[in-house]
Amino acid sequence: MIGKLEMIVLDAADITGLAAFYRALAGWSEISAEDDWITLGTPDGWRVAFQEAPDHRPPDWPGQSLPQQAHLDLRVADLEAHTERAVSLGARVLRRNEAWHTLADPAGHPFDLCLSPDTAGVSLMGVMLDCPDARELALFYSAILDKPLTYDGEGASMIGEDGAQPILFQQVPDYRPPSWPDPAQPQQFHLDIEVDDLDSGEAAVLKLGAVRQPSTGKFFRVYTDPAGKPFCLTVQPS
């Protein structure tokens, strides 16, 4: 294992409002809050953060002119009731079917409410990354996080066991990668991966095909994965 998944990060112009939305919808609790960054925790151990991006441009789902890049899958026992609740909190319905409803949160990020009759409340099933090759990207993150490839189907893959913070990958025709940090083609989401040492972590991810990007943080470095998505390696402050 090169590192462990620290958190999923969503960009937004109004991080206070977006954090409040997910606290109210899913019952997540605040772990920390700064002017440009808010971190929430889920009851089952996920961390989801909101990073201020003043020039954030929301996705234009399902097109690729401003692609979503990634989305959250939330399990609920009652699709209609939780959809109504999400809309009352500022979400918009984008698409409905019998198994899941796709909505946009107040920052415009699509997310899915997935029917799961045995679920109590709202639980985060996983994060789904869009990409041109699902298997390739799944194997890249599998090697970094030491999460096994648990599903490998036509156009979709998953690493990690259900209930153990899995990451999912879906193949998207005409996929367009972000042009980070250009807001004209925003990253929308990124993953923070905690390592013991930045230098050794960097050597390992570069060997797998990551590309180093300019960054000035003392406790993090930015890279792009084989699909062109930014992700960060982080260390705990000493």
Side-chain angles (χ1 to χ4, degrees):
M1 182 177 71
I2 297 169
K4 65 178 182 180
L5 181 63
E6 181 182 14
M7 63 184 71
I8 306 162
V9 186
L10 288 70
D11 288 359
D14 177 10
I15 60 171
T16 301
L18 192 57
F21 170 80
Y22 283 103
R23 285 200 311 268
L25 177 65
W28 300 346
S29 57
E30 186 175 290
I31 294 174
S32 64
E34 302 174 19
D35 289 343
D36 59 354
W37 189 283
I38 298 172
T39 303
L40 303 183
T42 75
D44 53 354
W46 291 87
R47 290 192 174 192
V48 181
F50 307 92
Q51 174 176 257
E52 185 179 49
D55 298 322
H56 177 250
R57 298 180 67 190
D60 183 21
W61 186 86
Q64 284 294 301
S65 60
L66 277 170
Q68 66 174 356
Q69 298 298 346
H71 72 270
L72 300 178
D73 284 335
L74 304 175
R75 284 182 168 141
V76 298
D78 188 325
L79 270 180
E80 292 300 332
H82 282 93
T83 296
E84 183 178 345
R85 171 67 171 159
V87 169
S88 74
L89 294 169
R92 293 181 293 111
V93 177
L94 302 177
R95 182 176 293 175
R96 297 175 186 258
N97 64 36
E98 292 182 357
W100 70 84
H101 292 170
T102 302
L103 299 92
D105 67 25
H109 296 295
F111 67 96
D112 284 342
L113 295 179
C114 305
L115 181 61
S116 177
D118 296 331
T119 296
V122 179
S123 66
L124 178 56
M125 183 184 90
V127 58
M128 176 89 75
L129 307 186
D130 291 357
C131 55
D133 187 322
R135 179 179 174 82
E136 177 189 41
L137 198 59
L139 292 175
F140 173 81
Y141 283 105
S142 174
I144 293 175
L145 300 170
D146 195 28
K147 288 181 179 286
L149 186 67
T150 49
Y151 177 79
D152 188 26
E154 185 175 351
S157 298
M158 183 174 87
I159 62 171
E161 302 291 344
D162 188 16
Q165 299 188 357
I167 303 175
L168 300 93
F169 306 84
Q170 65 177 358
Q171 209 154 292
V172 175
D174 302 320
Y175 171 78
R176 294 181 62 186
S179 296
W180 182 87
D182 183 1
Q185 193 71 13
Q187 65 177 352
Q188 306 292 359
F189 277 64
H190 77 269
L191 303 180
D192 277 358
I193 297 170
E194 184 180 330
V195 295
D196 292 330
D197 176 77
L198 285 175
D199 289 335
S200 59
E202 175 171 302
V205 299
L206 293 181
K207 187 175 180 179
L208 292 171
V211 177
R212 175 78 184 268
Q213 300 297 323
S215 57
T216 58
K218 182 178 180 181
F219 301 110
F220 71 91
R221 294 178 188 171
V222 181
Y223 306 84
T224 48
D225 65 25
K229 294 184 186 297
F231 69 96
C232 291
L233 296 184
T234 69
V235 291
Q236 291 297 319
S238 56

